[in-house]
Each structure stands twice: as C-alpha cells, then as structure tokens.
Amino acid sequence: MNGLMMNVPLSITAILEHAERCNPDVEIVSVTRDNPRHRYTYREAFARVRQLADSMAQWGLAQGDCIATLAWNDYRHFETYYAAACSGYVCHTINPRLFPEQLVYIINHAADRYIFLDPDFVPLAEQLAAQCPTVQGWVVLSPEAQMPATSLPGAICYETLLAAGADSFVWPALDENAACALCYTSGTTGHPKGVLYSHRSTVLHAYATLMPDAMGLSHRDVVLPIVPMFHVNAWGTPYSCPMTGAKLVFPGNRMGDGATLATLINEEGVTMSAGVPTVWLALLAHLKGSGQRVDSLQRVIVGGAACPLSVMEDFDTYGVETRVGWGMTEMSPLGSVNTSPASREKYSDEAFAKVRLKAGRPIFGVEMKIVDDHGAELPRDGVAYGSLKVRGPWVCSSYFKLEDSDAHAEPGWFETGDVATIDPQGFMAITDRTKDVIKSGGEWISSIEVENVATDHPKVAEAAVIGQYHPKWSERPLLVVVRGPNGQDLTASEMLAWFDGRIAKWWTPEAVEFVDELPHTATGKVQKVALRELFKDFSFD
Ligand code: AMP
C-alpha cells in the first residue's frame, strides 16, 4: 500500500519561488569587475532571472540543451544558474583553469549552445571560439558601457540581453529527474568526465547541507562561498542559501585575496564561509600580518583537500570553528562533515587533534563503506583501510554520455578512488588515493600526463609523479626519475626546464628526485603506494 502524500517534484524552481515569497528582502552582495560592491535582494535577483529566462526563450533551445558559464562567483553567475536550470536547460559550469585543449574538449562534449563569460575570460574564449562549432553565442557578463572590444563571433552583452526580457515570464513545469547542471571533473584519468546533476539530486543535497551537523545554515547566517561556482556549484550554497534565507556574499575574482576576504567578512557580517585549504592560508596570513580580526565569522567549511592542523589551530585563536568536509564532484559534492569541535569537551587535547583531522561522519543520505582488493567489506574499526565506496541520491550513477561504458565494479556503489578508514563512531579518514591524480590548490593535476612528458626526455629511462604535502597548495607534484643509459649527467634543473612550454606552468613538478629503480607491481605498473612510502619524509622546504 502506498502512502497518501502529494508527489510534488523537487525542483530548483521551487527554491527560487520559496525565496521570492519568504525571503524577498535578504541580500546578495557581489564583487564584480564593474562594481566593487553590488548589492540587491532575492526579490530583485529572481525578477531579473525571469527576465533572463524570457530572453533565452527566444533562442529556440530544446530542454536539456547546455548553457555554459566561464565565470567567477557573483550575482550574474547566480542568475545564469537559475535562469538556465528553471527553464529546463542545463547550466554547465566550466573551470577556466583547465587548459585550452581541455576546455575545447568539454565544450564540444557537452555541445554547449551559449557560453556566459566574465570579461576576464574574453581573451581565453577568443582563442577557443573557432574550435567550438556548437556555440551560437558568447554572452559577456557586463553592462553595455563596460563591454570589452572582442572578436568573439556573436558576442552578446548580458545586461542588454536581460533588459529585453519580461519579468512576467512563467516557469515551465519540470520533471524532478530532469538534468539541471553539469560539471566536468579531471579528478580521473583520461579526458575530463561530466557529472550531470538533476533537480531532485540538487534539492536533496541542498536540504542535507543545511543540517546542523553539516553546514548548519539558517536565515541568521551570512554566507561567503569562496569555493568557486565552477567547482561543484560552490558546494551547493547558491541553492541552500535561498532555501533558508541566508544572505549571500560573492567575492568575484578576489577569492585568493586575503585582504578583500577579511573586508567582506567584516563589512557584511559573514558568519559562515567555505573553501579549500589554500584560500584559508591567504586569509590567515593577511589577518596575522594586519592584526585585523574576523569577529562575525563563526565557522568555516574546509574541503577539497586535507586541512592542515595549523590552519585549524590558527582559526581557533580567532574563535572560528573549522569543519572539515569531504566530498567529490561526483557527490554534488558533500559526503561527510567533521563537527567534532562542537563536542570538544569529550576529547583530550591529543585525541581532539587526531579526531578533528578526520574527514568526518557521513551526512544522512550518503552511505559509505571500505572494501579490500577483492571487494570484501572491511571492519569499521578505525584501523583497517581500503577503497572507499559511496552511494546515495546525490551520488552520480554514471558519467555524462558515458552511460554505456561505465561499469561499476559493484553495481549501485560509486568508487571514490580514495583510500580510507572508518572508526566505530562513523568518522571516516582519508589515508591515500588510488586515482593517479594530484590535487594542488583544489585543482587536479594528472600524474600520467606529467609522467608522459618526463619520459619523452631523451635522458630519462622511467619517471613517476606523486603528490607530496605542500604547506601552501596542500599537494604539489614530486617527480621521481630513473636516468637512462646516456643520462648520467641529467640534473634536476635540466629536467624541470624540459617542462617549459610542454605543460601548464602549475603542472610542472615542484622538485625532482633521482633513484636507481622504481618499485613495480607484478604486472609492471609503478607501485605508487610503495613510492609514497619511500618518500614519506620528503619535504619541499
Ligand atoms: P573534486 O571532485 O575536485 O571535488 O575532488 C574530490 C577529491 O578531493 C576526493 O575524492 C579526495 O581525493 C579529495 N578531497 C576532498 N575533500 C577532502 C578532504 N577533506 N580530505 C582529503 N581529501 C579530500
């Protein structure tokens, strides 16, 4: 027998309508290129979203078509999110830090129809445009007066486009399983892969992140998402804040600038912020150097990479609670949050330092387990470690346009590529990665591509790259080289110079170490675990 409850679809349109009715006067504040402090309310924001959707409706797009963005965190990006998704299109957020070839690949793979871009990215887009045949127009997120001169074919001014639309636009009814957003991850080997979110998964994820032991947001909060809107929807904050009536503060292209962040926190009364460890180092360095404080700030969510204890202890001195969050693009992204600081009194100093470094407990909706090499589940004793698998309504079931080729080793479970322990209280801790990628400042570096360039060097016999702890970037690549027969004179600087022009600068290894041989598996693959063990005491200092 079924229950007798209404089957109302979970849609992003419902978030927008709720905020218009219940939180109309709550502000959204943004730093943009044309205005250092733009401010308006949810009421004004969503009226403009209707105008934008009305203008977009004239383009004759089909439901499910992709509208892409190459943009910083600000109100125009926020408007594009909602106008695209609530019209039944897919908002494809592109990471501008990818290489031009990767950008061209994902734009073509998604078959993007229009690209909304910040003026900052116009020169980049001009390089790509000729290789992107599906793109019919490039919408520059700018008022007419500040439109940059551009050779982009069919360049459109955002504010002019929006002004042509009517705010009486009526939203279409959407299926809750309809796609709403797309984000490519290069956290896997090979080409970047698309993660396609649905209205339902996005709403459920946003609900879950609001819980007290997750982000714990309410209408009393002022939220500064420093994590980019092109990186897993800024961890859901553009949806969770309008849901609960929290004020949003967007830092624009100043997310790495400690002084701007501190000013925004103090002047806007920010209570909660979210970002990768690298941005907190910038903020803390500014606070220490300037003597400024951030008294309104109650807590920060630190995720995307392991958070150093020193960051947490520095935040302690400012009275700010650090919550470690773990997740993935494939998980919308939030999987677990560590709220141990809320029960500080339960722990000795030593135990607290240990527990707070863990990735936290799963938020309800995400199930986790660790398995051995044969897929057998391992005990949750805090000691056994194995491949971490997850499942839940906001975990991806397969990658975009790879639905047929994706075979999960165990159907119904997603393999994260992380190695973890889980303790009897449910705290998960990441101990290693099985995926061959390195995460530097929150962005992925493919070790395989770096290795391929290294082994092209005529004096190199074999090379392997591993991620090593770095105080600023969380991880940086360390290149380990076996010299070839004619390479006995190969030096580290000669090796590093080889990468110039062959690879993006920030992918270039931080250091080179030479060894006589690399550890191998029985099938001849380099044993990264053994290599990491060999270099466990290595330091970049
Ligand atoms: P992304 O898809 O770019 O968000 O990256 C997800 C990956 O980042 C995870 O699979 C982990 O390898 C890493 N990661 C995310 N959060 C944490 C964390 N709190 N501690 C350690 N690694 C993390």
Side-chain angles (χ1 to χ4, degrees):
M1 182 168 63
N2 288 339
L4 293 171
M5 305 308 279
M6 293 184 189
N7 200 5
V8 176
L10 300 174
S11 75
I12 293 172
T13 318
I15 301 178
L16 172 161
E17 288 173 340
H18 173 78
E20 279 186 311
R21 289 187 206 112
C22 303
N23 306 308
D25 300 322
V26 175
E27 279 186 316
I28 301 179
V29 177
S30 311
V31 176
T32 65
R33 191 154 142 144
D34 54 289
N35 188 342
R37 200 73 67 91
H38 175 276
R39 60 176 71 241
Y40 68 171
T41 62
Y42 280 133
R43 182 199 288 112
E44 292 167 287
F46 290 127
R48 278 169 53 91
V49 170
R50 281 170 214 274
Q51 285 185 273
L52 178 58
D54 190 39
S55 291
M56 286 162 84
Q58 314 307 316
W59 289 341
L61 302 179
Q63 301 268 297
D65 276 348
C66 287
I67 300 286
T69 61
L70 262 173
W72 301 116
N73 291 11
D74 71 21
Y75 70 102
R76 294 189 181 108
H77 198 176
F78 176 90
E79 291 167 357
T80 309
Y81 260 48
Y82 277 88
C86 301
S87 297
Y89 314 135
V90 174
C91 183
H92 169 201
T93 52
I94 304 178
N95 181 346
R97 296 188 185 125
L98 296 176
F99 309 148
E101 309 84 75
Q102 290 176 313
L103 293 170
V104 168
Y105 171 82
I106 66 172
I107 290 168
N108 288 322
H109 187 264
D112 290 330
R113 302 293 299 275
Y114 284 83
I115 298 192
F116 286 56
L117 70 163
D118 261 316
D120 287 0
F121 301 123
V122 165
L124 174 66
E126 285 170 345
Q127 279 179 49
L128 314 175
Q131 301 163 70
C132 304
T134 62
V135 178
Q136 289 165 255
W138 300 80
V139 181
V140 183
L141 296 164
S142 165
E144 197 71 58
Q146 267 101 10
M147 270 294 278
T150 174
S151 62
L152 278 173
I156 300 165
C157 167
Y158 179 85
E159 289 297 338
T160 309
L161 173 75
L162 189 147
D167 68 5
S168 52
F169 182 78
V170 178
W171 296 113
L174 298 171
D175 185 317
E176 66 174 10
N177 290 308
C180 64
L182 174 64
C183 185
Y184 281 73
T185 174
S186 38
T188 43
T189 48
H191 282 306
K193 290 180 178 159
V195 180
L196 188 62
Y197 310 102
S198 67
H199 281 260
R200 176 185 154 84
S201 71
T202 305
V203 170
L204 288 174
H205 174 263
Y207 258 130
T209 62
L210 291 175
M211 288 197 288
D213 285 325
M215 291 195 189
L217 294 180
S218 82
H219 73 276
R220 289 176 291 276
D221 278 302
V222 179
V223 177
L224 172 72
I226 306 178
V227 51
M229 289 171 75
F230 57 74
H231 202 140
V232 218
N233 303 321
W235 299 349
T237 48
Y239 307 112
S240 54
C241 290
M243 233 182 201
T244 193
K247 171 176 160 181
L248 266 167
V249 180
F250 287 125
N253 63 2
R254 310 312 298 261
M255 54 242 285
D257 172 1
T260 303
L261 297 178
T263 306
L264 282 173
I265 292 168
N266 288 322
E267 293 184 4
E268 300 300 335
V270 170
T271 58
M272 198 293 272
S273 185
V276 297
T278 306
V279 299
W280 304 121
L281 290 170
L283 175 66
L284 288 164
H286 168 77
L287 296 181
K288 281 186 211 162
S290 65
Q292 229 179 328
R293 293 192 57 84
V294 279
D295 290 332
S296 62
L297 191 60
Q298 295 165 8
R299 64 198 178 286
V300 292
I301 310 285
V302 189
C307 179
L309 187 60
S310 60
V311 166
M312 301 187 196
E313 291 178 343
D314 282 352
F315 269 128
D316 288 349
T317 66
Y318 292 96
V320 177
E321 180 193 339
T322 319
R323 291 187 183 180
V324 170
W326 170 86
M328 304 178 72
T329 306
E330 289 90 336
M331 299 175 66
S332 306
L334 214 58
S336 63
V337 181
N338 189 335
T339 47
S340 60
S343 36
R344 172 72 186 87
E345 69 289 348
K346 281 199 215 156
Y347 303 98
S348 66
D349 287 353
E350 214 175 49
F352 183 53
K354 263 196 195 143
V355 75
R356 70 190 310 198
L357 280 170
K358 296 191 175 196
R361 284 188 282 209
I363 45 178
F364 175 74
V366 175
E367 236 184 297
M368 292 181 183
K369 66 174 179 180
I370 46 173
V371 300
D372 67 13
D373 290 349
H374 308 288
E377 188 167 351
L378 291 163
R380 294 163 192 256
D381 58 7
V383 180
Y385 58 88
S387 299
L388 179 65
K389 292 187 173 191
V390 293
R391 67 177 174 192
W394 55 86
V395 176
C396 91
S397 56
S398 49
Y399 292 103
F400 185 40
K401 296 184 185 168
L402 287 172
E403 290 86 333
D404 298 333
S405 59
D406 275 5
H408 289 300
E410 183 181 0
W413 286 89
F414 178 80
E415 266 185 72
T416 63
D418 287 326
V419 178
T421 60
I422 302 177
D423 75 14
Q425 278 69 45
F427 282 91
M428 184 271 284
I430 304 287
T431 58
D432 201 356
R433 276 191 204 123
T434 55
K435 49 195 167 198
D436 251 355
V437 276
I438 295 161
K439 211 165 192 197
S440 171
E443 307 290 343
W444 291 111
I445 295 176
S446 158
S447 47
I448 291 171
E449 287 194 32
V450 179
E451 286 160 4
N452 287 344
V453 174
T455 46
D456 280 347
H457 193 292
K459 293 181 181 174
V460 170
E462 203 179 4
V465 174
I466 48 174
Q468 285 289 116
Y469 171 72
H470 187 279
K472 177 165 182 201
W473 301 109
S474 300
E475 271 183 6
R476 289 292 298 150
L478 169 68
L479 176 65
V480 185
V481 171
V482 179
R483 293 184 177 101
N486 57 347
Q488 294 318 305
D489 59 345
L490 177 64
T491 62
S493 52
E494 185 185 346
M495 185 70 242
L496 290 177
W498 177 254
F499 289 96
D500 266 0
R502 291 188 162 86
I503 215 161
K505 256 204 151 32
W506 65 278
W507 278 38
T508 299
E510 197 69 19
V512 184
E513 288 284 305
F514 294 96
V515 292
D516 291 336
E517 58 178 341
L518 293 170
H520 289 102
T521 63
T523 54
K525 278 169 69 177
V526 174
Q527 264 181 321
K528 290 282 174 85
V529 174
L531 196 60
R532 277 193 280 269
E533 179 61 25
L534 213 59
F535 284 94
K536 70 176 190 307
D537 297 325
F538 176 89
S539 153
F540 286 118
D541 308 329

